């Protein structure tokens, strides 16, 4: 009888210990930008996650399914900020509301798409994510002081809705790794800027050249029409030549917002004339999540 008791106690102990052992769960990490990344269980992959449907994916299929999932996690981590920006009254060339602040696009020409996000309301900031070691990470930026309003290189580009507001357009150059941001601020004067950027294979985004034009648009006894290149005053001919060079290096329209003005009001800022014929490659949160198979 004592032997049976010992065997029964042993069985109960084994059952109790088995119930206490839990399956190891994947670790979820979050960096300072809010990019969530998944660390898969080393013993077993999530078969459902790895069977992502590759419908409408941008760029090439050089990224693995798990890398596309990492981009999807980054979008989920920033969903509130993305949707807030979408609902900030973006306008297209016909003065209609639209969603145009998220894009998968190969910027540096390595056949792997980057993830571009315009975040924020009453102003905005462009963040760019790339793949490193299989995970989505934010690019490093070297844009200060060329790009205005950016502090401590925390974003590729920022704008403010001072005065009458800000319009912007982002387009690729004809050469791989080059893109431009043209934007202006409406106030008692029109402040127009065109910034040339480059992105290398290591994910470093650099602001190379910024040309600016400041024109008085309200009646005044002292009207102004001034040009600067990288913060230094230049002649009208020098400034206009750089604006022309940037405009002629037009590749594809990536994203834009024409909330505060019209193409006609941008007649002198002629790169905006491309909005009459071209549609942006960017869309909104839901559309890009579909591209990622989510």
């Amino acid at each position: 009888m004592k032997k049976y008791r010992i065997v029964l106690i042993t069985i109960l102990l084994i059952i109790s210990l088995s119930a206490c052992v839990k399956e190891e769960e994947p670790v979820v990490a979050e960096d300072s930008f809010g990019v969530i990344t998944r660390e898969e269980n080393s013993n077993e992959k999530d078969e459902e996650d790895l069977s992502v449907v590759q419908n409408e994916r941008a760029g090439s299929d050089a990224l693995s399914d798990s890398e596309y999932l990492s981009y999807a996690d980054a979008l989920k981590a920033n969903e509130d900020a993305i949707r807030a920006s979408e609902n900030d009254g973006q306008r297209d060339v016909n003065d209609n509301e639209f969603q145009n602040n998220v894009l998968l696009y190969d910027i540096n020409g390595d056949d792997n798409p980057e993830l571009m996000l315009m975040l924020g309301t009453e102003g905005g900031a462009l963040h760019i994510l790339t793949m490193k070691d299989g995970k989505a990470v934010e690019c490093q930026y070297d844009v200060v002081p060329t790009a205005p309003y950016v502090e401590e290189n925390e974003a590729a580009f920022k704008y403010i809705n001072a005065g009458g507001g800000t319009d912007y357009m982002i387009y690729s150059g004809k050469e791989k790794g080059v893109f431009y941001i043209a934007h202006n601020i409406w106030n008692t004067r029109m402040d127009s800027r065109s910034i040339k950027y480059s992105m290398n294979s290591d994910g470093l985004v650099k602001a190379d050249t910024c040309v600016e034009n400041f024109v008085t648009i309200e009646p005044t006894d002292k009207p102004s029409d001034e040009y600067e290149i990288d913060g230094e005053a230049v002649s009208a001919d020098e400034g206009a030549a750089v604006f022309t060079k940037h405009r002629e290096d037009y590749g594809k329209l990536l994203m834009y917002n024409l909330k505060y003005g019209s193409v006609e009001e941008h007649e002198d800022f002629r790169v905006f004339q491309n909005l009459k014929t071209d549609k942006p490659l960017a869309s909104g949160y839901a559309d890009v999540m579909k591209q990622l198979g989510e």
Side-chain angles (χ1 to χ4, degrees):
M1 192 70 176
K2 185 180 292 186
K3 290 182 179 179
Y4 289 127
R5 287 179 180 175
I6 293 172
V7 171
L8 180 59
I9 291 170
T10 302
I11 292 172
L12 290 172
L13 283 171
I14 292 171
I15 293 172
S16 177
L17 288 172
S18 298
C20 292
V21 176
K22 293 184 179 180
E23 183 181 354
E24 184 181 356
E25 296 182 354
V27 177
V28 176
E30 184 173 340
D31 69 12
S32 58
F33 175 62
V35 177
I36 294 177
T37 56
R38 309 180 189 194
E39 294 181 12
E40 300 287 354
N41 187 320
S42 58
N43 297 321
E44 182 179 357
K45 297 288 184 182
D46 187 330
E47 296 297 331
E48 183 178 351
D49 280 350
L50 292 181
S51 63
V52 174
V53 178
Q54 297 186 14
N55 62 353
E56 300 181 11
R57 282 182 173 171
S60 71
D61 290 330
L63 295 183
S64 67
D65 285 336
S66 62
E67 287 173 325
Y68 276 101
L69 283 169
S70 186
Y71 272 151
D73 285 340
L75 278 180
K76 291 174 184 176
N78 294 280
E79 180 177 1
D80 289 344
I82 294 168
R83 292 196 180 279
S85 179
E86 287 179 349
N87 295 327
D88 193 30
Q90 294 185 89
R91 297 281 176 173
D92 67 12
V93 68
N94 298 311
D95 200 33
N96 298 316
E97 290 190 5
F98 73 141
Q99 294 179 348
N100 173 33
N101 62 344
V102 187
L103 174 63
L104 276 174
Y105 181 77
D106 179 16
I107 299 174
N108 61 1
D110 65 355
D111 293 327
N112 295 327
E114 274 68 48
L115 181 62
M116 303 179 72
L117 308 172
M118 185 67 80
L119 305 178
T121 59
E122 295 304 317
L126 177 68
H127 296 273
I128 303 174
L129 280 64
T130 190
M131 277 294 155
K132 284 198 175 181
D133 299 323
K135 294 181 182 179
V137 298
E138 184 161 21
C139 291
Q140 296 294 308
Y141 307 117
D142 180 12
V143 300
V144 177
T146 305
Y149 317 122
V150 180
E151 298 178 359
E152 298 180 358
N153 288 306
E154 81 275 26
F157 165 74
K158 293 183 75 173
Y159 69 91
I160 59 173
N161 278 337
T166 297
D167 296 326
Y168 66 83
M169 62 178 290
I170 305 173
Y171 61 95
S172 65
K174 296 175 182 177
E175 179 185 351
K176 292 180 178 180
V178 174
F179 66 100
Y180 296 84
I181 301 180
H183 75 110
N184 55 49
I185 298 178
W186 301 82
N187 207 323
T188 57
R189 69 179 190 180
M190 171 81 82
D191 295 0
S192 301
R193 296 181 177 88
S194 179
I195 309 171
K196 179 181 179 180
Y197 290 84
S198 62
M199 178 180 177
N200 66 18
S201 58
D202 293 326
L204 176 65
V205 175
K206 183 178 180 181
D208 293 325
T209 308
C210 177
V211 57
E212 304 171 88
N213 179 217
F214 310 106
V215 179
T216 304
I217 58 177
E218 285 194 355
T220 177
D221 293 334
K222 296 181 179 180
S224 63
D225 186 359
E226 302 169 353
Y227 288 83
E228 291 183 1
I229 297 177
D230 295 334
E232 298 292 331
V234 297
S235 69
D237 287 344
E238 290 175 293
V242 176
F243 272 109
T244 299
K245 187 175 181 179
H246 287 193
R247 182 182 76 248
E248 292 179 347
D249 192 27
Y250 179 88
K252 296 180 180 179
L253 179 61
L254 304 183
M255 63 175 69
Y256 78 93
N257 187 5
L258 204 62
K259 179 178 179 180
Y260 297 98
S262 66
V263 173
E264 288 71 28
E265 289 170 305
H266 288 293
E267 184 177 1
D268 292 332
F269 203 173
R270 284 186 284 172
V271 70
F272 276 83
Q273 300 303 308
N274 290 289
L275 303 184
K276 292 180 178 179
T277 55
D278 295 352
K279 293 184 178 180
L281 298 182
S283 54
Y285 177 87
D287 288 340
V288 176
M289 287 299 282
K290 287 181 182 178
Q291 285 182 282
L292 294 168
E294 290 288 291

